[in-house]
Every structure is written in structure tokens, then in C-alpha cells.
Amino acid sequence: MTAINRRRLPLLSGLLVFATAGLLYAQTLGFSLVWDDFGSIVHNAALRDWSEAFRSFYARSTLPAGSYDPSQLESCNYRPLRTVIHAAIVHTIGIIPFWFHLLNLVGHATLATLLFFLFRSFTGSSAGALFGALFFAVHPALTE
């Protein structure tokens, strides 16, 4: 293997991880909003009010706590950056499932790719890092 190819291997491996996650979950772009999307997007009043969206960084949601109900999911989760990003989508595009699914897909693929580079820096092994990052990328429980 030449020195040039050896330098490109990590980049190509990172692209492989990103493409694998992207292609595997691309079918979700045509799906509707489901289950917890109703609490975090459809019924989330913070997405319609910028001050409430930014308030989520330092204060709990004002939704009532109680038994698990996906329409009240925001009372159980601390995800202020997601709230602000979702608010930006709602204000610019509206509640169109494709854009929320695309955001999640790109975010997941990017995180899996960054994980590859983190694993590689810890272990020094591109093969081991690739295996770990691909496992993360394709495991369905990790796509939230």
C-alpha cells in the first residue's frame, strides 16, 4: 500500500461509515411522524415559541408530569439543542416529516463517523474502529 493510500484509508473508512448509516436509514425519509415524534415535535409548544425553545436550556418543560404519554414526552427529556433545531425547522419549513427524518439521519451518520475517528485515535486500529463504528451505525436501538 502506498503512502498516499495509507493516508486516505481513514477518510475512506469514515465515508464508508457515513454512507452505510445513510443508506441503511434512507428509507425512513418517506415515513410519517410516529410515536415519540408527537411529543417532541407535533405537541411541543416550545417549537412554536423561540423564547420557550431557548428556555429549555435552563428550565424544565411546563408540561405536566405523570404516567408515560408520548404526547408529553418533553416533560421527561432534557434535549435543548434538539428543541432549538426542531424549532428552526418548524419556523422555516413547518412540520414536514421528511426534514425531521433527514436531520436525524444526517445526525446519526455524522455521529457514527465521528465515533470511528474517536475509536481509531484510542486504539490505533482502523479495522477495529471501523467494526465498532459500523456496529453503532447499523444497530437499530442507537438511532434515536
Side-chain angles (χ1 to χ4, degrees), residues 4-19 113 116-117 120 126 130:
I4 294 173
N5 289 340
R6 214 173 286 224
R7 284 191 308 214
R8 288 186 182 169
L9 185 61
L11 179 59
L12 293 174
S13 297
L15 288 172
L16 175 65
V17 171
F18 189 92
T113 303
F116 162 76
F117 288 108
R120 186 174 177 275
S126 289
L130 182 62

Side-chain angles (χ1 to χ4, degrees), residues 94-144:
I95 299 180
I96 299 172
F98 171 85
W99 295 106
F100 291 97
H101 294 314
L102 181 63
L103 172 70
N104 288 336
L105 186 148
V106 170
H108 179 67
T110 301
L111 185 58
T113 303
L114 291 173
L115 195 59
F116 162 76
F117 288 108
L118 181 68
F119 286 165
R120 186 174 177 275
S121 71
F122 284 162
T123 66
S125 167
S126 289
L130 182 62
F131 177 78
L134 284 173
F135 181 77
F136 176 86
V138 303
H139 197 285
L142 302 173
T143 59
E144 266 296 302

Side-chain angles (χ1 to χ4, degrees), residues 22-78:
L23 291 172
L24 181 67
Y25 293 106
Q27 65 181 346
T28 65
L29 297 176
F31 291 0
S32 297
L33 297 175
V34 296
W35 188 241
D36 60 347
D37 294 333
F38 293 104
S40 60
I41 299 169
V42 177
H43 300 295
N44 188 353
L47 303 186
R48 286 146 192 85
D49 180 354
W50 281 110
S51 61
E52 185 68 22
F54 285 106
R55 183 180 176 277
S56 68
F57 278 96
Y58 59 85
R60 288 191 65 128
S61 173
T62 56
L63 291 172
S67 61
Y68 181 74
D69 178 357
S71 69
Q72 296 184 11
L73 191 62
E74 288 306 303
S75 65
C76 304
N77 290 312
Y78 177 75

